[in-house]
Amino acid sequence: MMGDWPLPTKKPLVGGHEGAGVVVACGSLVKNIKVGDYAGIKWLNGSCLNCPYCENADEPLCQGALLSGYTVDGTFQQYAIAKAAHVAHIPGNCDLEAVAPILCAGITVYKGLKESGARPGQMVAIVGAGGGLGSCAVQYAKAMGLHVIAIDGGEEKGALCKKLGAAVYVDFLTSKDVVADVKNNTPDGLGPHAVLLLAVQEKPFQQASQYVRSRGSVVCIGLPAGAYLKAPVFDTVVRMISIKGSYVGNRVDTSEALDFYARGLVKVPYKSIGLSKLQDVYTLMRENKIAGRYVVDTS
């Protein structure tokens, strides 16, 4: 939306990268899905399937990847095209509006939790927990047996995080010392075992290494424009902290993330709007006034 990523984009462009709908037509070579099935279009619209990354289930890293709503037209339209090899298979009993956010937000945070290495019974801090990705992350973490410290700003987002299953909420707008508050809300005071950074500002990325426990992992997912990571080398080494990035999930991650949803373990809080109201949602995003998600009904 802001045009602030260092990647070239298609112009003119139809946006949208979380599309859930009904298959109305298939190419002659398509065998894995049929007309009438429920299907999802993800951020990763397609990849070459032949490079070292694709062959090792890292297809999001493919140098020839096609990105929905960025390098190819996306899902803010009545009819959209998907690659059969990458389309998400959605169970027929799912509500298409409710499942749509799983196709990027859900998959992405589920992948991040897997990459964090956090195990059931451990604590994970989720920064930006009341937003679109965070509201999914809190639920996936709980379903995976993790205890969540939710970090965000404002009472509305705090109430949402608690409702979704967070054990603790730290409000950065009112906290005098976020680092101390996060560490003090772990049973032993050593900090969480992992941190998921979903924020769109740089400061939380600089704070995370200060409160994650020794041998913990900091997983960067949010993409604030022009931001940099900064952590003291000495502290990072002697405390054996892992700092890593996590991109969107592969096809197996997609199936697993959808399975959590199908079993009722993840329910994305959302409001439905018509396509004509899309610009209003962008305005709310700029003002940081959205708790959960908005879903666009293009019908």
Side-chain angles (χ1 to χ4, degrees):
M1 176 188 73
M2 302 298 291
D4 55 15
W5 285 359
L7 295 173
T9 183
K10 173 187 179 296
K11 289 182 180 179
L13 175 71
V14 177
H17 61 273
E18 292 176 335
V22 181
V23 177
V24 296
C26 293
S28 61
L29 300 179
V30 174
K31 307 298 181 185
N32 64 325
I33 199 162
K34 63 184 184 300
V35 171
D37 286 353
Y38 280 7
I41 297 177
K42 307 169 294 180
W43 169 247
L44 183 66
N45 192 283
S47 68
C48 77
L49 300 178
N50 294 311
C51 69
Y53 296 114
C54 287
E55 289 176 346
N56 286 282
D58 272 332
E59 55 263 27
L61 304 182
C62 175
Q63 298 299 293
L66 302 174
L67 308 176
S68 300
Y70 203 92
T71 65
V72 297
D73 285 332
T75 56
F76 290 153
Q77 52 184 332
Q78 287 178 289
Y79 297 94
I81 296 172
K83 299 289 186 182
H86 285 282
V87 71
H89 296 259
I90 299 175
N93 60 345
C94 287
D95 182 319
L96 290 173
E97 287 190 0
V99 76
I102 300 297
L103 298 170
C104 185
I107 295 167
T108 299
V109 297
Y110 173 66
K111 175 73 168 183
L113 287 165
K114 290 174 67 175
E115 290 285 339
S116 77
R119 299 192 300 273
Q122 295 183 338
M123 300 202 76
V124 58
I126 298 175
V127 186
L133 274 74
S135 58
C136 294
V138 171
Q139 296 178 79
Y140 275 105
K142 182 182 178 183
M144 295 165 75
L146 300 167
H147 304 293
V148 176
I149 300 175
I151 305 171
D152 214 314
E155 293 182 1
E156 181 184 10
K157 291 187 176 182
L160 175 63
C161 291
K162 287 291 191 70
K163 180 181 178 181
L164 296 177
V168 177
Y169 179 65
V170 175
D171 189 337
F172 70 80
L173 293 177
T174 58
S175 172
K176 294 180 180 179
D177 188 335
V178 170
V179 172
D181 286 347
V182 172
K183 294 181 74 171
N184 290 338
N185 275 293
T186 58
D188 53 14
L190 297 177
H193 298 80
V195 182
L196 249 64
L197 288 162
L198 311 176
V200 291
Q201 293 85 31
E202 184 176 18
K203 186 176 180 179
F205 286 77
Q206 316 294 16
Q207 290 177 322
S209 66
Q210 299 174 46
Y211 59 71
V212 72
R213 72 171 52 214
S214 296
R215 243 194 206 285
S217 61
V218 176
V219 183
C220 305
I221 297 176
L223 296 170
Y228 284 86
L229 287 164
K230 183 180 179 181
V233 173
F234 184 89
D235 205 40
T236 302
V237 172
V238 301
R239 294 182 53 220
M240 298 182 68
I241 296 169
S242 297
I243 301 175
K244 64 193 303 186
S246 180
Y247 195 31
V248 293
N250 61 23
R251 285 170 288 176
V252 172
D253 298 321
T254 298
S255 297
E256 292 173 354
L258 283 169
D259 181 62
F260 274 79
Y261 172 85
R263 288 187 286 136
L265 298 172
V266 178
K267 295 181 180 179
V268 183
Y270 74 95
K271 298 176 183 177
S272 180
I273 62 164
L275 192 59
S276 64
K277 300 294 184 182
L278 184 59
Q279 190 59 48
D280 296 341
V281 177
Y282 285 141
T283 300
L284 292 172
M285 288 171 64
R286 285 195 186 93
E287 297 172 353
N288 196 31
K289 291 182 178 179
I290 295 178
R293 306 285 290 186
Y294 273 86
V295 173
V296 179
D297 183 351
T298 59
S299 65

